[in-house]
Amino acid sequence: MPMEDQKEIEKLRSELNEHNYRYYVLAAPIISDAEYDHLLNRLRDLEKKHPELFSPDSPTQRVGAPIQAGFSEVVHLTPMLSLANAFSEEEVRAFDAKVKKLLGHEVGYTIEPKVDGLAVSLRYSHRRFFQGATRGDGERGEDITLNLKSLRDIPWDLPEYAPQEVEVRGEVYLNKADFERLNEERLDKGEAPFANPRNAAAGSLRQLDPRVTAGRPLHFWPYAGSGLRGITTQYQVLTDLEGLGFLRPNGLPDFLQNRLIRNIDDALALFKIFNDRRHEVPFEIDGMVIKVNSLKDQEALGFVGREPRWAIAYKFPAIQKTTILKDIQVQVGRTGSLNPVAILEPVEIGGVVVSRASLHNEDEIERKDIRIGDAVLVQRAGDVIPQIVMPIKERRTGEEKLFQMPERCPVCSSHTVRLPGYAMRYCTGGLSCEAQLIERLKHFAGRRAMDIEHLGSQLAKSLVEKKLVQSIADLYFLNKDSLLTLERFGEKSADNLLESIEKSKERPFSKVLFALGIPEVGEVTAKYLAEHFMSIDLLGRASLEDLEAVPGVGPSISESILQFFGEAHNQNVLERLAQAGLNLQQRAKKQRPLDGLIFVLTGRLERFTRPEAQSRLEALGAVVSSTLTKKANFLVAGAESGSKLEKAQSWGVPVLEEEELLRMLDESTSSEETSPHVTVDLKGRS
């Protein structure tokens, strides 16, 4: 046997034991799950190659980590083992073939989501919850009974028809939205963020002070039970657990339902659905679990090492990897904002090579203590722009460098400023800065703004570089001869562009207002401003108080609008846009039943989704705001309403339940069809 293999085996075992301790005990890993799996698979391959080096203490044969000091020890009735992982269709088919070969007959499977949480065991005696424990090292776990009692998903008492002695196993997890809030709170306190919801759940549950756990919204997802009567299949186990009070959250996507399948082809088809729609789940799932359905077959198959032969976890492509932050570059946005961008050592995440990631702003860099040269944990989930979750400080060498935002614009060399109350630093070059003008042109021509077809990034850049466009108004004074001077721009292209520019003059005032790119004035705010002031002249003469009377417009947006109209250059642009014939005033609109009324939605709605509710309200003239202020006319409170409900009650803002909202919508719709003048009863429960 080569000495190199023996040394690598020893090194891998040592590294994996260290990573297990950081993952299971400290809830603070320094490598991603994908990298851990890579190390573990490499060790497995080497141990298969050299069976004479087998050790029962190897990380391939054990699960978890030793008990943390401060917790009592619990011996599990049966070992809490982990699942074998599959990362390809071939590995899943190999699992299926092996199961059928060992059993000698066809098998059915259950399909369950692999919830990315902390595995725990719950024991009931005389139908009362008396002991809860972590997985620990698989044989022994930590007694966290008091902490688990703070979870609303875990019943303290089972129904009278339940068996006297029951054990339930499952995952404790944290919803993604709650994870984001928890990390924000930690960063604000100067504490290190959790790497992902799983580590946040583990760190929250394994607290020596149960009050800390009680303050965090943890949930429980059951996946196994023993001591149940008359049960012969895994599917029956899951169904029985629901009957005992272990309920799953309402409103989950349909593909998460317990499923029975006849063959492995059905499992592979379901995996594609799981992977494509995983972003719809409010908590993290990192794969799909395939289990032999028959408990008799499970018993016959047994275990190998630390894993059952009758189940496998088909893992999604990783969304997190660690890599090196090589540099931080600064890009200039259309409003002049300086946006730091991480330049990374290229790394493949979920089948895509990632070499850049968002860093948001200088405060975020400082809060997370991110430095050039750091090893960093990078995340790419769905279509979200890759972002740096956290630096791996334990891997610092002392060569890392602190980052500072530049005092001069990297494009036009103008001074940069950071205004009080703003997170971003801005270039003062205005439209003299080519970077801003190019981005403003792209925004102005965008589909949601002036919808000028054929005006993309490359053409915008060419128009600015050739000095054909030095303000957005110049677009409307272009001619065919000047366009033909552009490289690779023929007569057909020129005709198409000019036709599209001419057509854009028909866009309504609200779209023109949005297209101007006034900082902090988005599409919805532009619509409300257009409807309130009716023309660009009246908007330009509005005072701070006038502006703040518009729904959704606060001091920050008002100040931004005043600054925009106070610039002589912007006034010149508006005059030229008026000369070009753009719509700078709002057409008279039909009065609607809920015109001007401000609604805020909170909690979970049962009869329709929030976007559906918002769409129906806005169609009747209402303003739907995400922020509750004393100016709101109604708060619509769904299930599990939080602090907004308490604020509304203390401020005297009328509160509507979902049924009351439905009644109001139906009555308003009916009234609108028969009469344009409708009076809405401004009442609700308070």
Side-chain angles (χ1 to χ4, degrees):
M1 177 189 66
M3 185 61 69
E4 292 80 7
D5 283 1
Q6 183 172 352
K7 286 183 178 179
E8 186 178 358
I9 287 173
E10 291 171 357
K11 182 172 181 287
L12 285 168
R13 286 173 178 171
S14 175
E15 286 183 10
L16 286 164
N17 282 332
E18 172 66 17
H19 291 312
N20 280 339
Y21 177 75
R22 288 184 171 277
Y23 185 87
Y24 290 105
V25 177
L26 302 182
I30 60 173
I31 61 172
S32 66
D33 289 354
E35 289 167 295
Y36 177 88
D37 289 337
H38 174 75
L39 294 175
L40 188 64
N41 288 336
R42 173 60 180 162
L43 179 58
R44 278 201 182 101
D45 291 342
L46 286 170
E47 289 179 344
K48 279 183 184 177
K49 184 179 175 183
H50 302 291
E52 69 275 12
L53 293 179
F54 171 82
S55 168
D57 294 327
S58 171
T60 61
Q61 304 301 311
R62 300 182 65 82
V63 64
I67 307 303
Q68 182 181 353
F71 288 100
S72 300
E73 183 180 288
V74 173
V75 178
H76 296 304
L77 296 177
T78 57
M80 287 189 72
L81 304 180
S82 63
L83 296 176
N85 291 327
F87 298 94
S88 67
E89 179 178 327
E90 291 73 24
E91 290 175 300
V92 174
R93 290 193 181 279
F95 160 77
D96 176 57
K98 188 172 184 179
V99 164
K100 288 189 285 193
K101 181 180 179 182
L102 289 171
L103 291 174
H105 59 76
E106 294 293 320
V107 293
Y109 296 103
T110 59
I111 299 298
E112 304 166 35
K114 187 177 182 301
V115 177
D116 197 10
L118 180 73
V120 298
S121 162
L122 315 175
R123 291 179 62 186
Y124 289 79
S125 181
H126 301 287
R127 304 189 187 94
R128 169 152 289 195
F129 176 42
F130 80 95
Q131 188 178 74
T134 63
R135 172 185 281 158
D137 64 4
E139 301 285 344
R140 296 170 177 80
E142 297 152 339
D143 189 335
I144 53 169
T145 307
L146 290 178
N147 293 0
L148 286 168
K149 282 188 173 181
S150 69
L151 274 66
R152 294 182 179 180
D153 299 348
I154 296 177
W156 286 22
D157 295 286
L158 300 181
E160 290 184 1
Y161 53 79
Q164 292 279 337
E165 308 291 325
V166 173
E167 181 184 11
V168 180
R169 292 179 177 180
E171 297 281 334
V172 172
Y173 66 91
L174 191 67
N175 281 332
K176 288 182 276 192
D178 295 323
F179 163 70
E180 296 292 343
R181 281 193 291 270
L182 177 59
N183 261 358
E184 284 296 319
E185 291 171 5
R186 291 178 68 84
L187 286 169
D188 289 342
K189 294 175 184 176
E191 299 173 352
F194 289 112
N196 50 54
R198 187 266 167 207
N199 294 123
S204 300
L205 193 58
R206 300 172 71 257
Q207 292 284 331
L208 295 176
D209 183 354
R211 290 173 297 183
V212 177
T213 304
R216 296 178 181 174
L218 299 172
H219 300 277
F220 178 71
W221 184 278
Y223 61 69
S226 60
L228 305 174
R229 298 194 194 104
I231 301 299
T232 60
T233 67
Q234 171 66 14
Y235 189 82
Q236 287 177 309
V237 169
L238 298 175
T239 304
D240 251 39
L241 290 178
E242 289 184 10
L244 295 181
F246 294 93
L247 303 176
R248 296 178 178 182
N250 292 324
L252 291 178
D254 55 358
F255 68 91
L256 290 187
Q257 295 173 356
N258 299 334
R259 290 179 182 268
L260 266 176
I261 59 167
R262 294 172 297 175
N263 54 58
I264 209 67
D265 288 330
D266 291 345
L268 294 170
L270 272 173
F271 180 78
K272 185 177 187 313
I273 296 172
F274 268 66
N275 193 26
D276 290 346
R277 297 179 59 190
R278 61 194 286 197
H279 64 278
E280 298 176 26
V281 184
F283 46 87
E284 289 288 358
I285 58 174
D286 60 344
M288 182 181 84
V289 179
I290 306 169
K291 295 179 183 176
V292 171
N293 187 40
S294 166
L295 299 185
K296 182 180 178 182
D297 285 346
Q298 287 186 12
E299 187 176 356
L301 289 165
F303 300 83
V304 56
R306 65 178 204 165
E307 301 160 351
R309 287 194 179 96
W310 43 264
I312 195 165
Y314 192 2
K315 299 286 285 288
F316 297 141
I319 63 169
Q320 288 187 337
K321 290 275 186 76
T322 53
T323 188
I324 301 299
L325 173 60
K326 295 165 60 178
D327 196 8
I328 297 177
Q329 295 180 357
V330 176
Q331 295 180 340
V332 182
R334 66 177 174 83
T335 61
S337 63
L338 271 60
N339 308 306
V341 177
I343 307 302
L344 306 168
E345 190 71 44
V347 59
E348 184 180 318
I349 306 178
V352 175
V353 176
V354 174
S355 59
R356 302 163 77 88
S358 170
L359 286 169
H360 302 294
N361 55 58
E362 55 191 301
D363 284 350
E364 189 75 358
I365 295 172
E366 185 176 342
R367 278 205 311 164
K368 291 184 176 179
D369 190 18
I370 296 170
R371 305 180 186 185
I372 297 170
D374 266 335
V376 292
L377 184 65
V378 181
Q379 176 168 297
R380 178 186 176 273
D383 295 327
V384 177
I385 297 170
Q387 59 179 311
I388 291 180
V389 178
M390 60 190 290
I392 311 299
K393 296 181 182 179
E394 292 83 352
R395 292 170 62 174
R396 281 182 175 160
T397 63
E399 298 295 318
E400 295 78 16
K401 299 176 183 177
L402 292 170
F403 170 76
Q404 284 190 324
M405 290 291 280
E407 294 184 359
R408 288 189 174 272
C409 173
V411 175
C412 70
S413 298
S414 298
H415 285 287
T416 64
V417 296
R418 182 176 175 183
L419 301 174
Y422 281 73
M424 306 300 292
R425 184 174 290 272
Y426 289 85
C427 165
T428 59
L431 292 181
S432 65
C433 177
E434 280 193 1
Q436 290 187 59
L437 180 53
I438 292 169
E439 293 302 317
R440 281 178 186 260
L441 273 180
K442 287 162 59 179
H443 170 75
F444 186 84
R447 185 171 297 174
R448 291 160 50 206
M450 299 306 290
D451 194 19
I452 301 176
E453 289 187 78
H454 314 294
L455 180 48
S457 301
Q458 192 56 49
L459 179 55
K461 185 177 179 182
S462 298
L463 290 170
V464 172
E465 288 177 348
K466 293 290 186 181
K467 308 296 183 186
L468 296 181
V469 171
Q470 293 179 285
S471 84
I472 53 177
D474 289 342
L475 283 173
Y476 294 92
F477 298 91
L478 288 170
N479 57 57
K480 189 172 182 178
D481 290 340
S482 62
L483 288 173
L484 291 176
T485 64
L486 297 175
E487 189 176 350
R488 297 178 183 174
F489 209 77
E491 291 199 18
K492 180 68 172 175
S493 298
D495 288 338
N496 288 339
L497 178 62
L498 291 172
E499 182 183 346
S500 187
I501 290 173
E502 187 65 26
K503 186 179 177 182
S504 74
K505 295 178 182 180
E506 300 171 8
R507 298 288 278 175
F509 175 40
S510 62
K511 296 296 185 182
V512 179
L513 193 52
F514 172 59
L516 292 176
I518 302 172
E520 298 196 53
V521 175
E523 195 172 3
V524 175
T525 302
K527 178 173 174 285
Y528 295 151
L529 288 168
E531 291 178 352
H532 187 90
F533 290 103
M534 300 299 289
S535 75
I536 200 76
D537 290 336
L538 291 175
L539 176 59
R541 294 201 298 268
S543 67
L544 193 67
E545 292 74 19
D546 295 334
L547 291 167
E548 290 186 15
V550 179
V553 176
S556 177
I557 297 177
S558 299
E559 190 63 42
S560 179
I561 294 169
L562 290 175
Q563 286 181 359
F564 177 85
F565 282 97
E567 289 285 339
H569 174 81
N570 292 333
Q571 292 291 348
N572 293 335
V573 170
L574 292 174
E575 286 178 14
R576 297 193 70 216
L577 290 176
Q579 292 170 14
L582 273 68
N583 284 321
L584 296 180
Q585 61 183 20
Q586 185 82 347
R587 294 189 180 96
K589 63 184 180 69
K590 175 185 173 184
Q591 185 177 352
R592 292 171 294 179
L594 304 182
D595 269 342
L597 296 181
I598 303 172
F599 287 73
V600 179
L601 307 177
T602 188
R604 188 182 70 254
L605 300 178
E606 304 289 349
R607 300 284 294 276
F608 44 22
T609 65
R610 278 208 202 179
E612 288 170 345
Q614 180 171 342
S615 178
R616 288 193 62 182
L617 284 165
E618 289 178 344
L620 293 166
V623 175
V624 180
S625 174
S626 60
T627 305
L628 180 67
T629 68
K630 293 181 180 179
K631 292 194 292 185
N633 296 105
F634 293 102
L635 175 77
V636 179
E640 299 177 12
S641 296
S643 59
K644 285 181 181 176
L645 177 58
E646 296 174 7
K647 282 184 182 178
Q649 290 169 334
S650 66
W651 289 343
V653 175
V655 178
L656 294 176
E657 293 181 347
E658 186 172 357
E659 290 301 323
E660 294 173 301
L661 172 65
L662 280 168
R663 197 178 311 121
M664 178 184 286
L665 290 172
D666 291 341
E667 290 174 357
S668 298
T669 302
S670 175
S671 300
E672 186 182 37
E673 291 170 355
T674 57
S675 171
H677 302 291
V678 180
T679 301
V680 175
D681 184 13
L682 296 179
K683 293 180 181 177
R685 62 184 173 91
S686 57

